[in-house]
Amino acid sequence: NLLQPNIMTPAEKDTASAVSTDAAWTAAVDALFRKTRDPAGNTGTRFTVGLGGSAPNFTLPTQLGSGLALISNPALANPSQMTAITHDGYVTIAENNAATLGDAPVALHIVKLDRTLKFRGAVAPIYPENVFDEKITLRHSGDFGGNVDDLVFQWYYREEDGTSANPPGVAFPSPPGAPVPGRWTLFGEIAGGNEISLAGASTALLADNLFFARWRHKDEPAADASYSQYAGAANSRPPALSSPSVATDGAYVPQLAEGWVKRVTNSVNAFDARIRDFRNNSAPSTTVSMLQQAGGRWEGNVAFNPSKDVIENYGLIELYQTVLNRAADLSINLQPGTSGVNTALLNAANRIASLYTLLGNEAATDALDPTIGFGTTSGQYGNLAPSIFAFQNQTSSLLDEELALLRGRGEIGARPAYNRLMWNFTNGQGEAAYAMNYGITDVTNDGFLDAGDAAKLFPQGHGDAWGHYTMALRGYAALFRNANFAWDTRSEKYQINGIVFDVDYMDERAFAETAAARAKAGAAIVDLVYRQKYTDNPAGQWQGYQDTNTDRAWGVYESAQRAGTGAFFDWVTANALLPSNDDSKEGITRVDRTTVGALKELAVNATAVQSKLDMADNALNPLGLDSETVPFDIDPVRTDRNSAAPATHFEQIYERATAASKNALSAFNHANQSSQMLRRTAGSAEQLRQQTIGQDRDYRNRLIEILGTPYQGQIGSGKAYPAGYNGPDLFLHMYVDQVAISGTAGEATVPGTPADMKIKLAGLLKLASDTYPFVAGNQPGANYAKSFVTDWFPADYPTAVQEFGQSPFYEFTVPVRTSGYAFKAPADWGVRASPGKVQAALAELLQAEYDLLMATEGYEGFNDDFTRKI
């Protein structure tokens, strides 16, 4: 019982009892059941609970010890019992009056009991531990004293389609019924059903759903008057019963059962830890870079495995795309999608598009400032800083690098970089600039800075802003092309701590902003290509500067055609999605053409593309001037040699050029301050990572100091520890080398006692701190020299553990001696790389036992000699 841990229900008792048929187990479960319902042992005591002397006597505990845990009685909800009560009553609760609380302030609380009202409560969602699990549980917040078997619960639901739970203008409707019949569907009328579970791969579980619940006693008639008010979200405010026609009294708010798509994308995101089980998973991820979080492009569906080694090694793009594909296969690839299903699919597509837009923005920003980010007066490069660039050995000039960052390389390439710039570890001057500019550190912890480190920091390489923006829009286009999908422009519901409210993930705004960003990148590509291809020769100015490679089509004309056409279709699509002016909504729910400013930016960038193409068609140079234009400017006053500051035309132009160069230098150094601030941020993240690694290493070394490392023969496939394990010996630390116990005597075998013992060992780090990993395959004999086996485990322990679902276990055999020291390591186990304090203490203990044995034998020898002499 997750919500009321003090009380065990009859159903929970039956479930626990079914674990084992052992009489001792069943008796223990029964005792626990009684303890949770009557912790003070007051069964049989009669009290009237403040309802008057004429009221029936109810069995209730009064002294519960420290704290407050009022345990109810089935009679309190029984209508036949309550008919004898003719008036309301009161209960006095004493707070902090237990003697064990010392001088804590005592307070009395008087609670009025209204026999005409039923507890409404709320509905709480319970999410599974596995973030990919399709199951979700809804539970009524009332514990009803653990007596839910006497109650009947009605559960109603409907898909969350963006409409209100209550129709506009209706003050106090019955949520599942009139005045809008058919709005709600009866999920079930269940005796004892204070909890329901939704599970399975179905369209209904992909989308968000809304739920109400109400209850009555099983002996009451199945009429509306017998039921409680509808329980929904924690912020549900039913109207007052005395004036149900007043619209301001309140409104029902149903509880939100989030669909599978939203639950997965909410649980696996860029801001929260993907693994929250820090007890059983060492070395938590310290990734802070959004580029690392996004990961590589989707190459195929990935496994929905919540384990640390899987979920932390996939990028969000791969995970989200797999979720979207599965959801589409269960819905719009088979049948028309409902509003809730379409919204769930759009939610996933929007998150993928946001990640690709992030990658595109990073590449476009690099193109805007492709310098290495070191000032001319600092660092190793000094005055070379403006001329050295990060991808110097992959591109021939800074202009080529800017173009590659905007549109990628001409080669197709292979995964994971494809046509993007590779990590520049090319053993040239650009390698050092690249490593310093992008803050490459030894994230692989192999002691070297190489392409492997850069690949972890930048999983998709560098550049290709146009391609990333196109991939972002491609996700939306895949939904557009499906005839079963419809884009609903609306907000949706979200739930935090039981409170349900409206949110909007700005799908339409995100689409328009990505389209505007791609148009801006397209305009920049056209401008750079024109600068690259421009010629003063009139014979070469009228060909549109087209690319001779028609498959690549990277000329001025083709780039402008591509960017302009894309911007036009994006503009048309965005306008088709948005209403012109939606005055009926306000705030976050209002999404129309007046609130999406990216539409204007999209049009402006499309105009810039057309303008640049017109310049090329008119044979103007990249500055927009005629090729024969000579810029001329002179101060006529200064040409007079008798003026205050005489200067010729050349001298005046030289002065201006010098001033412009100084201004450019100052601007360059100022711009690098921002790059250096980003580098310091990256340095802080790296420092955090190193501190985390150091702390983890420190804890591991402390455990090794105590437990030692495993024997080499117990590391590898099929052994106690996996290959490459370098941690402490958590399971076999009591084994000691044969040398340490070579002096022990008494190797007699006790009949009926095995020489070896089969044990079942849980997966690494899965054992609780108060358990021990060794389990005997049969009842151990009495001659195990008081081993841990006999002291800690019963004979049927393996079966009991497996019934509790703590698998997987794997079984292997370890030697156990039947006399002397039980845990003697065989010779084929090898040696421990680093023995710990436990082994040292055991060796000292065994040596002391050996010394005692030798002293005893010596005493017996002296005694025999003395006897013979007598």
Side-chain angles (χ1 to χ4, degrees), residues 669-690:
N669 288 330
H670 178 74
N672 281 320
Q673 292 180 6
S674 300
S675 299
Q676 290 166 5
M677 290 179 64
L678 291 174
R679 191 170 294 109
R680 285 195 294 269
T681 301
S684 299
E686 174 63 15
Q687 184 180 8
L688 171 64
R689 190 181 71 86
Q690 292 295 341

Side-chain angles (χ1 to χ4, degrees), residues 133-136 157 159 187 197-209 211 258-261 263 323 326-332 334-335 338 340-341 344-345:
D133 201 325
E134 294 171 333
K135 180 179 179 180
I136 182 174
Y157 78 100
E159 185 180 274
F187 182 86
S197 295
L198 314 176
S202 67
T203 305
L205 291 182
L206 296 177
D208 295 347
N209 289 282
F211 278 84
E258 294 177 345
W260 179 73
V261 174
R263 282 189 279 120
V323 170
R326 174 175 172 78
D329 288 341
L330 294 174
S331 57
I332 61 174
L334 300 175
Q335 59 191 11
T338 62
V341 169
L345 297 174

Side-chain angles (χ1 to χ4, degrees), residues 267-439:
S267 299
V268 184
N269 58 69
F271 309 104
D272 299 326
R274 302 188 193 180
I275 292 295
R276 301 182 183 181
D277 183 9
F278 297 113
R279 175 186 177 88
N280 294 326
N281 291 281
S282 60
S285 174
T286 56
T287 299
V288 296
S289 168
M290 287 295 297
L291 302 181
Q292 288 181 261
Q293 294 273 16
R297 62 174 289 183
W298 178 82
E299 307 279 356
N301 289 346
V302 300
F304 289 134
N305 188 333
S307 66
K308 174 183 172 64
D309 291 337
V310 176
I311 196 173
E312 288 190 351
N313 288 316
Y314 284 126
L316 294 177
I317 289 177
E318 297 171 280
L319 288 169
Y320 289 166
Q321 188 64 55
T322 303
V323 170
L324 178 59
N325 292 345
R326 174 175 172 78
D329 288 341
L330 294 174
S331 57
I332 61 174
N333 291 345
L334 300 175
Q335 59 191 11
T338 62
S339 176
V341 169
N342 291 335
T343 300
L345 297 174
L346 191 58
N347 184 310
N350 181 44
R351 291 175 183 262
I352 298 170
S354 298
L355 293 170
Y356 273 120
T357 302
L358 173 74
L359 295 171
N361 291 341
E362 192 267 342
T365 303
D366 270 359
L368 288 175
D369 182 15
T371 58
I372 63 174
F374 286 88
T376 57
T377 59
S378 64
Q380 168 185 352
Y381 292 100
N383 294 330
L384 294 177
S387 60
I388 293 178
F389 48 97
F391 297 96
Q392 184 166 342
N393 305 108
Q394 292 189 42
T395 57
S396 59
S397 66
L398 197 60
L399 181 60
D400 288 336
E401 179 183 294
E402 292 182 55
L403 275 170
L405 291 171
L406 285 172
R407 69 184 181 187
R409 298 181 298 124
E411 298 85 354
I412 296 177
R415 71 176 306 272
Y418 290 98
N419 66 308
R420 295 178 285 274
L421 288 168
M422 298 291 291
W423 314 284
N424 198 24
F425 283 89
T426 53
N427 292 323
Q429 195 172 28
E431 176 176 329
Y434 169 80
M436 297 181 69
N437 187 58
Y438 287 98

